[in-house]
Amino acid sequence: GQNIDQPTEMTATEGAIVQINCTYQTSGFNGLFWYQQHAGEAPTFLSYNVLDGLEEKGRFSSFLSRSKGYSYLLLKELQMKDSASYLCAVRDSNYQLIWGAGTKLIIKP
Amino acid sequence: DGGITQSPKYLFRKEGQNVTLSCEQNLNHDAMYWYRQDPGQGLRLIYYSQIVNDFQKGDIAEGYSVSREKKESFPLTVTSAQKNPTAFYLCASRSLAGDGSEQFFGPGTRLTVL
């Protein structure tokens, strides 16, 4: 079967760095996406990885290792507005997105 | 401004009634998707469409129906056959040009069946 695993919840301090991990087992791989979702709102796109390595975009970076079926999202200089759920999704061989349940990130002052 | 709209934001229905959720996009995207989101679970695909007048079932299509008569519109009907319809419904669209294009989401409709 297809499976995406992420921690359910993480807590971090304002100004710090946090790494959210995602492991996956899917039928085929055509890219991995990270989305941010504030409570009751739509997911918004953060990053896309299809090749191994690190993609940096401002305070956010995303890493992919296809051989290990592993990705992480790194958030630096955390701000209170970063409190949200972070969703990992893998595009499979049918070009459909398989979604993880999301990681709820709580930022404390 | 380009984007995706869903209406209404909140919807209440009595058990046994059909209800239709609206989704409109002006991004000129070919592909459109309907997802359902429940607490503690990932988004689950209900239906998707890549071209007008054609659509495909997703993982949880039972109890739902869709139509794609126009490129801009992809309404979802939740029928009385859906056993547990209370959920947050998200519509998304995507350009089929290029390899890495992400899905853009509408604001969602929270359906509560009483």
Side-chain angles (χ1 to χ4, degrees):
Chain A
Q2 307 203 91
N3 196 46
I4 311 272
D5 283 319
Q6 310 177 228
T8 303
E9 187 175 296
M10 298 182 70
T11 302
T13 304
E14 190 177 13
I17 299 173
V18 71
Q19 177 176 310
I20 302 174
N21 295 327
C22 171
T23 58
Y24 62 89
Q25 289 178 307
T26 56
S27 56
F29 178 86
N30 283 297
L32 185 144
F33 295 80
W34 284 97
Y35 281 78
Q36 180 191 60
Q37 186 179 27
H38 286 97
E41 297 182 8
T44 55
F45 170 75
L46 290 177
S47 69
Y48 169 69
N49 295 71
V50 67
L51 299 176
D52 290 352
L54 189 68
E55 293 282 342
E56 297 186 80
K57 197 185 284 188
R59 293 189 299 114
F60 293 6
S61 304
S62 57
F63 171 83
L64 174 67
S65 169
R66 288 172 296 171
S67 62
K68 295 181 179 177
Y70 168 71
S71 172
Y72 67 72
L73 181 70
L74 191 71
L75 291 73
K76 302 176 185 176
E77 301 169 16
L78 286 169
Q79 302 175 8
M80 297 303 292
K81 68 178 182 180
D82 297 330
S83 291
S85 288
Y86 292 85
L87 313 181
C88 173
V90 172
R91 195 157 62 190
D92 68 9
S93 56
N94 294 320
Y95 267 71
Q96 298 307 325
L97 287 181
I98 310 300
W99 295 82
T103 298
K104 183 178 180 181
L105 178 62
I106 300 168
I107 310 295
K108 295 186 175 179
Chain B
D1 283 336
I4 304 177
T5 57
Q6 290 184 243
S7 61
K9 190 164 179 64
Y10 298 95
L11 190 56
F12 296 87
R13 278 294 181 269
K14 291 183 179 179
E15 201 170 323
Q17 290 181 332
N18 291 358
V19 60
T20 297
L21 281 58
S22 163
C23 177
E24 304 276 334
Q25 55 98 1
N26 61 5
L27 299 168
N28 199 33
H29 286 170
D30 291 298
M32 296 187 75
Y33 307 82
W34 273 107
Y35 291 96
R36 169 182 173 138
Q37 188 174 35
D38 294 283
Q41 297 188 41
L43 275 66
R44 292 184 290 168
L45 182 64
I46 304 172
Y47 268 98
Y48 67 99
S49 168
Q50 295 188 314
I51 194 170
V52 173
N53 292 323
D54 187 50
F55 46 82
Q56 309 296 328
K57 291 183 179 180
D59 300 321
I60 55 164
E62 186 175 347
Y64 299 98
S65 65
V66 293
S67 62
R68 187 86 186 276
E69 295 176 4
K70 298 186 300 181
K71 187 176 183 179
E72 302 80 18
S73 179
F74 192 41
L76 173 75
T77 297
V78 184
T79 75
S80 56
Q82 168 50 231
K83 296 191 189 320
N84 186 18
T86 294
F88 188 47
Y89 290 88
L90 287 160
C91 179
S93 70
R94 181 172 86 94
S95 168
L96 295 180
D99 186 51
S101 61
E102 70 272 25
Q103 293 185 10
F104 292 82
F105 285 85
T109 292
R110 188 166 297 279
L111 173 65
T112 302
V113 175
L114 306 171

